Amino acid sequence: MGEIEDSENRRMVFVTVGTTLFDALVRAVDTKEFKQELFRKGYTHLLIQMGRGFYTPTKSEAEDGSVAVDYFTFSSSIADHLRSASLVISHAGSGSIFETLRLGKPLIVVVNEDLMDNHQSELAEELAERKHLYCARPRTLHRTIADMDLASLLPYPAGDATPVAKLINRFLGFPDD
Amino acid sequence: MEINDENLFSISIVIIIGLIFISIVRVIYVIYQTGKPLHSKSQKPMSTLIVLGSGGHTAEMINVLSALQKDRFMPRVYVAAATDNMSLQKASVLEDSLVDMNGGKVVSAKFMQIYRSREVGQSYITSIGTTLIAIAHALWLMIKIRPQVILCNGPGTCVPLCVIAFLFKVVGIRWSSVFYVESIARVKRLSLSGLLLYKLKIADQFYVQWAQLQRKYPRAHYVGSLM
């Protein structure tokens, strides 16, 4: 049994909670159920960025029938991890969401049900409706993995600040560029 | 006419009523003028106050700034909440890149911190006290800066600043054009800051990034996604 380390066979799932506390998500991805679904779908590694959470996952090497698990709390930039991921599972912060979509990575957004005034879910649900990502709850995450069809996701068109700039300039009396 | 207490009293009442009347007329005039594009096509650069906020707010604001011609909006002052560590840093990275591009000929931007009206999760009762402190601090900052343009996109820190901008318009200290861009995370409902500035008609221009919001708030302008 060799290490599944060469990049051709390495398919990493990156889980990120940003600067938040989201133990429900970290616990959900650390369950046997969830890891088995990942393995069934051909993923080899699970990397968890756990943020301010208290629950620490169990690290493990790749073994027969399961994924390798690693975790860390924060990093100055998650861009490299996003880039090397085959699938991203993120909290519903707009920064994480758009950083991931701009890199063209398949994304599952998990809304934190413990947050008061959950305006974050509006954005996740709207983008899910437009088929740019999948939306899931911590308890049903493993089913989302089982049922997902990443090929059906639509690429997210890049945003553009020129319309705003135009309106601001016009209002102030500056000429159009 | 005798100068006695009765007459003095009547005269005072007349003056007070007169002042109140003038103030009301002035406030109505300001509300009427708010939102009307500026007439002067002076082309001179305008001093600009940029309000940054934690979470996605600063990232969106940096996107807006990148699309604007910097020599029209200067000098620039960036304001962020005292407890926000990252935003001023990100803004200063943007400003540094501009210096590099222009070979150091840019008027240097200022970076300031402001007390927050309310921290996330703070009780509404203690928020009254901290809001008063925040308003006093905002007043001090606004008197110092007196910007011609204010750019903000949602953090609670912008509300006291924009309310003071409105008062400055009424009193005649400075006419600041207030531009509010609602965050992309607001799809169906406005944020509390947005709702206040929209309903009170304090923003000269109110921008939303989702068409649903523009239908719900018709005085807003739909500008598509910034991110």
Side-chain angles (χ1 to χ4, degrees), chain A residues 75-121:
Chain A
S75 92
S76 53
S77 157
I78 55 167
D80 288 334
H81 298 298
L82 291 176
R83 251 177 245 128
S84 55
S86 303
L87 169 66
V88 178
I89 301 175
S90 163
H91 75 125
S94 61
S96 281
I97 292 178
F98 289 112
E99 208 181 337
T100 308
L101 289 177
R102 269 200 296 269
L103 290 169
K105 294 292 175 174
L107 172 59
I108 302 175
V109 172
V110 183
V111 175
N112 190 345
E113 289 153 321
D114 294 329
L115 289 180
M116 281 173 50
D117 174 33
N118 209 338
H119 76 265
Q120 285 187 337
S121 62

Side-chain angles (χ1 to χ4, degrees), chain A residues 122 126 156 160 169 171 175, chain B residues 38 43 187-189 225 227:
Chain A
E122 274 181 29
E126 180 69 28
Y156 176 76
D160 184 12
N169 280 316
F171 184 88
Chain B
L38 298 188
Q43 306 308 308
V187 180
K188 301 199 174 88
R189 297 173 303 157
S225 159
M227 296 298 280

Side-chain angles (χ1 to χ4, degrees), chain B residues 3 8 14 20 24 54 56 59 63 69 71-72 77 88 96 108 162-163 168 174 176 179 182 197 203 215 220 227:
Chain B
I3 299 178
L8 273 176
V14 169
I20 293 176
I24 292 176
S54 52
N63 267 18
Q69 281 190 311
D71 52 5
R72 294 176 177 176
V77 178
L88 291 177
D96 286 342
S108 53
C162 292
V163 169
F168 278 13
R174 168 75 86 197
S176 317
F179 298 96
E182 184 61 283
L197 295 182
R215 287 192 287 271
M227 296 298 280

Side-chain angles (χ1 to χ4, degrees), chain B residues 15-16 27 38 50 55 74 87 104 108 123 137 147 150 207 220 227:
Chain B
I15 290 175
I16 290 174
V27 168
L38 298 188
I50 299 148
M74 54 184 226
S87 295
S108 53
S123 84
H137 193 208
I150 298 181
Y207 303 121
M227 296 298 280

Side-chain angles (χ1 to χ4, degrees), chain B residues 50-227:
Chain B
I50 299 148
V51 186
L52 302 173
S54 52
H57 292 298
T58 293
E60 293 190 44
M61 187 53 84
I62 302 253
N63 267 18
V64 172
L65 289 168
S66 307
L68 290 173
Q69 281 190 311
K70 306 302 177 302
D71 52 5
R72 294 176 177 176
F73 299 90
M74 54 184 226
R76 292 184 287 283
V77 178
Y78 293 88
V79 167
T83 48
D84 176 352
N85 300 318
M86 297 296 301
S87 295
L88 291 177
Q89 254 185 332
K90 290 192 189 149
S92 122
V93 166
L94 172 68
E95 288 289 333
D96 286 342
S97 71
L98 297 174
V99 173
D100 292 336
M101 272 169 20
N102 284 9
K105 285 185 293 181
V106 174
V107 173
S108 53
K110 291 212 182 73
F111 303 88
M112 297 182 171
Q113 292 190 310
I114 189 174
Y115 292 117
R116 260 197 168 143
S117 321
R118 180 178 167 267
E119 296 289 337
V120 173
Q122 184 182 344
S123 84
Y124 285 103
I125 297 196
T126 57
S127 298
I128 297 176
T130 48
T131 299
L132 289 174
I133 294 176
I135 291 176
H137 193 208
L139 185 59
W140 184 78
L141 279 178
M142 281 293 283
I143 289 173
K144 268 182 81 159
I145 306 170
R146 291 192 304 280
Q148 294 165 287
V149 171
I150 298 181
L151 300 177
C152 53
N153 68 348
T157 39
C158 71
V159 174
L161 291 165
C162 292
V163 169
I164 289 165
F166 179 82
L167 291 175
F168 278 13
K169 279 174 176 163
V170 170
V171 174
I173 292 177
R174 168 75 86 197
W175 190 275
S176 317
S177 299
V178 177
F179 298 96
Y180 182 87
V181 186
E182 184 61 283
S183 163
I184 194 167
R186 298 295 179 161
V187 180
K188 301 199 174 88
R189 297 173 303 157
L190 291 184
S191 61
L192 183 57
S193 310
L195 207 51
L196 283 170
L197 295 182
Y198 181 87
K199 293 285 184 189
L200 296 177
K201 297 195 179 161
I202 287 180
D204 286 274
Q205 292 239 297
F206 194 98
Y207 303 121
V208 293
Q209 300 187 49
W210 295 94
Q212 298 97 305
L213 275 182
Q214 201 278 325
R215 287 192 287 271
K216 205 169 165 188
Y217 301 98
R219 281 183 288 116
H221 299 264
Y222 168 61
V223 293
S225 159
L226 288 178
M227 296 298 280

